[in-house]
Short mmCIF file of all heavy atoms in Angstrom, two decimals:
data_model
loop_
_atom_site.label_atom_id
_atom_site.label_comp_id
_atom_site.label_asym_id
_atom_site.label_seq_id
_atom_site.Cartn_x
_atom_site.Cartn_y
_atom_site.Cartn_z
N VAL A 105 13.55 -13.66 -11.52
CA VAL A 105 12.17 -14.06 -11.78
C VAL A 105 12.13 -15.33 -12.64
O VAL A 105 11.35 -16.25 -12.39
CB VAL A 105 11.39 -12.90 -12.45
CG1 VAL A 105 9.98 -13.34 -12.83
CG2 VAL A 105 11.34 -11.69 -11.53
N GLU A 106 13.00 -15.37 -13.63
CA GLU A 106 13.09 -16.55 -14.50
C GLU A 106 13.33 -17.82 -13.67
O GLU A 106 12.72 -18.87 -13.90
CB GLU A 106 14.27 -16.34 -15.48
CG GLU A 106 14.37 -17.34 -16.60
CD GLU A 106 13.32 -17.11 -17.66
OE1 GLU A 106 13.40 -16.05 -18.32
OE2 GLU A 106 12.44 -17.96 -17.82
N ARG A 107 14.22 -17.71 -12.70
CA ARG A 107 14.56 -18.89 -11.87
C ARG A 107 13.39 -19.30 -10.99
O ARG A 107 13.18 -20.49 -10.74
CB ARG A 107 15.80 -18.59 -11.02
CG ARG A 107 17.04 -18.54 -11.88
CD ARG A 107 18.31 -18.24 -11.11
NE ARG A 107 19.42 -18.14 -12.08
CZ ARG A 107 20.64 -17.74 -11.77
NH1 ARG A 107 20.95 -17.40 -10.54
NH2 ARG A 107 21.56 -17.68 -12.72
N LEU A 108 12.63 -18.33 -10.51
CA LEU A 108 11.45 -18.65 -9.70
C LEU A 108 10.39 -19.34 -10.54
O LEU A 108 9.78 -20.32 -10.13
CB LEU A 108 10.87 -17.38 -9.06
CG LEU A 108 11.81 -16.62 -8.11
CD1 LEU A 108 11.19 -15.28 -7.72
CD2 LEU A 108 12.08 -17.45 -6.86
N LEU A 109 10.19 -18.82 -11.76
CA LEU A 109 9.19 -19.41 -12.66
C LEU A 109 9.59 -20.83 -13.06
O LEU A 109 8.75 -21.73 -13.15
CB LEU A 109 9.01 -18.55 -13.90
CG LEU A 109 8.39 -17.16 -13.68
CD1 LEU A 109 8.43 -16.34 -14.96
CD2 LEU A 109 6.96 -17.27 -13.16
N ALA A 110 10.90 -21.02 -13.25
CA ALA A 110 11.39 -22.34 -13.65
C ALA A 110 11.12 -23.38 -12.57
O ALA A 110 11.02 -24.58 -12.85
CB ALA A 110 12.89 -22.28 -13.96
N GLU A 111 10.98 -22.92 -11.32
CA GLU A 111 10.66 -23.84 -10.21
C GLU A 111 9.17 -23.84 -9.89
O GLU A 111 8.75 -24.25 -8.82
CB GLU A 111 11.47 -23.47 -8.96
CG GLU A 111 12.98 -23.70 -9.10
CD GLU A 111 13.37 -25.18 -9.19
OE1 GLU A 111 12.53 -26.06 -8.91
OE2 GLU A 111 14.54 -25.45 -9.54
N ASP A 112 8.38 -23.30 -10.81
CA ASP A 112 6.92 -23.34 -10.71
C ASP A 112 6.27 -22.42 -9.68
O ASP A 112 5.15 -22.67 -9.22
CB ASP A 112 6.42 -24.78 -10.50
CG ASP A 112 6.63 -25.63 -11.75
OD1 ASP A 112 6.50 -25.06 -12.85
OD2 ASP A 112 6.94 -26.82 -11.63
N ALA A 113 6.96 -21.33 -9.35
CA ALA A 113 6.29 -20.28 -8.56
C ALA A 113 5.15 -19.71 -9.40
O ALA A 113 5.26 -19.63 -10.62
CB ALA A 113 7.28 -19.19 -8.19
N ILE A 114 4.07 -19.33 -8.74
CA ILE A 114 2.92 -18.73 -9.43
C ILE A 114 2.91 -17.23 -9.11
O ILE A 114 2.85 -16.85 -7.94
CB ILE A 114 1.60 -19.39 -8.99
CG1 ILE A 114 1.61 -20.88 -9.35
CG2 ILE A 114 0.40 -18.67 -9.61
CD1 ILE A 114 0.52 -21.69 -8.66
N VAL A 115 3.01 -16.41 -10.15
CA VAL A 115 3.04 -14.95 -9.94
C VAL A 115 1.61 -14.42 -10.03
O VAL A 115 0.96 -14.53 -11.07
CB VAL A 115 3.94 -14.25 -10.98
CG1 VAL A 115 3.89 -12.74 -10.77
CG2 VAL A 115 5.37 -14.76 -10.88
N ILE A 116 1.15 -13.83 -8.94
CA ILE A 116 -0.25 -13.39 -8.89
C ILE A 116 -0.42 -11.91 -9.27
O ILE A 116 -1.52 -11.48 -9.61
CB ILE A 116 -0.86 -13.68 -7.49
CG1 ILE A 116 -2.38 -13.74 -7.57
CG2 ILE A 116 -0.38 -12.69 -6.45
CD1 ILE A 116 -3.05 -14.48 -6.44
N GLY A 117 0.67 -11.16 -9.28
CA GLY A 117 0.55 -9.76 -9.70
C GLY A 117 1.78 -8.94 -9.38
O GLY A 117 2.76 -9.45 -8.85
N ARG A 118 1.68 -7.66 -9.77
CA ARG A 118 2.75 -6.69 -9.54
C ARG A 118 2.38 -5.79 -8.37
O ARG A 118 1.22 -5.39 -8.25
CB ARG A 118 2.94 -5.80 -10.77
CG ARG A 118 3.59 -6.47 -11.93
CD ARG A 118 3.84 -5.46 -13.03
NE ARG A 118 2.61 -5.01 -13.65
CZ ARG A 118 2.27 -3.75 -13.79
NH1 ARG A 118 3.06 -2.80 -13.33
NH2 ARG A 118 1.14 -3.42 -14.37
N GLN A 119 3.41 -5.45 -7.58
CA GLN A 119 3.14 -4.74 -6.33
C GLN A 119 3.62 -3.29 -6.34
O GLN A 119 4.72 -2.98 -6.81
CB GLN A 119 3.80 -5.51 -5.18
CG GLN A 119 3.18 -6.89 -4.98
CD GLN A 119 4.06 -7.84 -4.24
OE1 GLN A 119 5.29 -7.69 -4.25
NE2 GLN A 119 3.47 -8.82 -3.59
N ASN A 120 2.79 -2.45 -5.77
CA ASN A 120 3.04 -1.03 -5.63
C ASN A 120 4.34 -0.77 -4.86
O ASN A 120 4.70 -1.54 -3.96
CB ASN A 120 1.85 -0.43 -4.86
CG ASN A 120 1.68 1.05 -5.07
OD1 ASN A 120 2.58 1.72 -5.58
ND2 ASN A 120 0.52 1.56 -4.69
N CYS A 121 5.01 0.32 -5.21
CA CYS A 121 6.27 0.68 -4.54
C CYS A 121 6.53 2.16 -4.73
O CYS A 121 5.86 2.81 -5.52
CB CYS A 121 7.43 -0.13 -5.12
SG CYS A 121 7.68 0.09 -6.90
N ASP A 122 7.50 2.69 -4.00
CA ASP A 122 7.92 4.07 -4.24
C ASP A 122 8.52 4.17 -5.64
O ASP A 122 9.17 3.22 -6.11
CB ASP A 122 8.97 4.49 -3.21
CG ASP A 122 8.36 4.85 -1.86
OD1 ASP A 122 7.56 5.79 -1.82
OD2 ASP A 122 8.67 4.17 -0.87
N GLU A 123 8.33 5.32 -6.26
CA GLU A 123 8.78 5.54 -7.63
C GLU A 123 10.29 5.25 -7.75
O GLU A 123 11.09 5.83 -7.02
CB GLU A 123 8.48 6.98 -8.04
CG GLU A 123 8.79 7.24 -9.50
CD GLU A 123 8.39 8.65 -9.94
OE1 GLU A 123 7.99 9.48 -9.10
OE2 GLU A 123 8.49 8.92 -11.16
N PHE A 124 10.63 4.37 -8.65
CA PHE A 124 12.01 3.95 -8.86
C PHE A 124 12.69 3.53 -7.55
O PHE A 124 13.89 3.69 -7.38
CB PHE A 124 12.83 5.01 -9.60
CG PHE A 124 12.43 5.08 -11.05
CD1 PHE A 124 11.57 6.08 -11.49
CD2 PHE A 124 12.86 4.13 -11.95
CE1 PHE A 124 11.16 6.11 -12.82
CE2 PHE A 124 12.45 4.15 -13.28
CZ PHE A 124 11.60 5.15 -13.71
N ALA A 125 11.88 3.00 -6.63
CA ALA A 125 12.38 2.48 -5.35
C ALA A 125 12.98 3.58 -4.48
O ALA A 125 13.80 3.30 -3.60
CB ALA A 125 13.37 1.33 -5.57
N MET A 126 12.60 4.84 -4.74
CA MET A 126 13.13 5.96 -3.96
C MET A 126 12.10 6.41 -2.94
O MET A 126 11.17 7.15 -3.29
CB MET A 126 13.49 7.13 -4.87
CG MET A 126 14.59 6.78 -5.85
SD MET A 126 14.94 8.21 -6.88
CE MET A 126 15.88 7.41 -8.18
N GLY A 127 12.28 5.97 -1.71
CA GLY A 127 11.36 6.38 -0.66
C GLY A 127 11.34 5.37 0.45
O GLY A 127 11.79 4.23 0.29
N SER A 128 10.83 5.80 1.60
CA SER A 128 10.82 4.94 2.78
C SER A 128 9.42 4.76 3.32
O SER A 128 9.23 4.25 4.41
CB SER A 128 11.70 5.57 3.88
OG SER A 128 12.96 5.91 3.34
N SER A 129 8.41 5.19 2.56
CA SER A 129 7.04 5.14 3.09
C SER A 129 6.01 4.69 2.06
O SER A 129 4.84 4.61 2.36
CB SER A 129 6.65 6.52 3.61
OG SER A 129 6.56 7.44 2.53
N ASN A 130 6.45 4.43 0.86
CA ASN A 130 5.56 4.06 -0.24
C ASN A 130 4.53 5.15 -0.55
O ASN A 130 3.45 4.90 -1.08
CB ASN A 130 4.85 2.72 0.02
CG ASN A 130 4.69 1.89 -1.25
OD1 ASN A 130 5.07 0.73 -1.31
ND2 ASN A 130 4.14 2.48 -2.31
N GLU A 131 4.89 6.39 -0.23
CA GLU A 131 4.01 7.51 -0.56
C GLU A 131 4.42 8.20 -1.86
O GLU A 131 3.72 9.07 -2.34
CB GLU A 131 3.99 8.53 0.58
CG GLU A 131 3.31 8.01 1.83
CD GLU A 131 3.56 8.88 3.04
OE1 GLU A 131 4.73 8.95 3.50
OE2 GLU A 131 2.61 9.51 3.52
N ASN A 132 5.59 7.80 -2.41
CA ASN A 132 6.06 8.42 -3.67
C ASN A 132 5.65 7.60 -4.88
O ASN A 132 6.44 7.46 -5.80
CB ASN A 132 7.59 8.51 -3.70
CG ASN A 132 8.16 9.40 -2.62
OD1 ASN A 132 7.50 10.32 -2.17
ND2 ASN A 132 9.37 9.12 -2.20
N SER A 133 4.46 7.03 -4.89
CA SER A 133 4.10 6.18 -6.03
C SER A 133 3.06 6.88 -6.90
O SER A 133 2.12 7.49 -6.38
CB SER A 133 3.53 4.86 -5.52
OG SER A 133 2.92 4.16 -6.58
N ALA A 134 3.21 6.73 -8.21
CA ALA A 134 2.21 7.26 -9.13
C ALA A 134 0.88 6.53 -8.95
O ALA A 134 -0.15 7.00 -9.42
CB ALA A 134 2.70 7.11 -10.56
N PHE A 135 0.89 5.39 -8.28
CA PHE A 135 -0.32 4.61 -8.06
C PHE A 135 -0.94 4.88 -6.68
O PHE A 135 -1.82 4.15 -6.24
CB PHE A 135 -0.02 3.11 -8.20
CG PHE A 135 0.43 2.74 -9.59
CD1 PHE A 135 1.77 2.78 -9.94
CD2 PHE A 135 -0.50 2.39 -10.56
CE1 PHE A 135 2.19 2.46 -11.23
CE2 PHE A 135 -0.10 2.07 -11.86
CZ PHE A 135 1.25 2.10 -12.19
#
Side-chain angles (χ1 to χ4, degrees):
Chain A
V105 175
E106 190 75 65
R107 289 179 184 172
L108 298 171
L109 293 173
E111 293 292 348
D112 291 325
I114 298 166
V115 177
I116 202 159
R118 286 185 291 127
Q119 295 160 335
N120 202 346
C121 58
D122 281 298
E123 186 176 7
F124 288 100
M126 297 180 195
S128 310
S129 66
N130 217 126
E131 291 167 293
N132 297 332
S133 168
F135 297 89

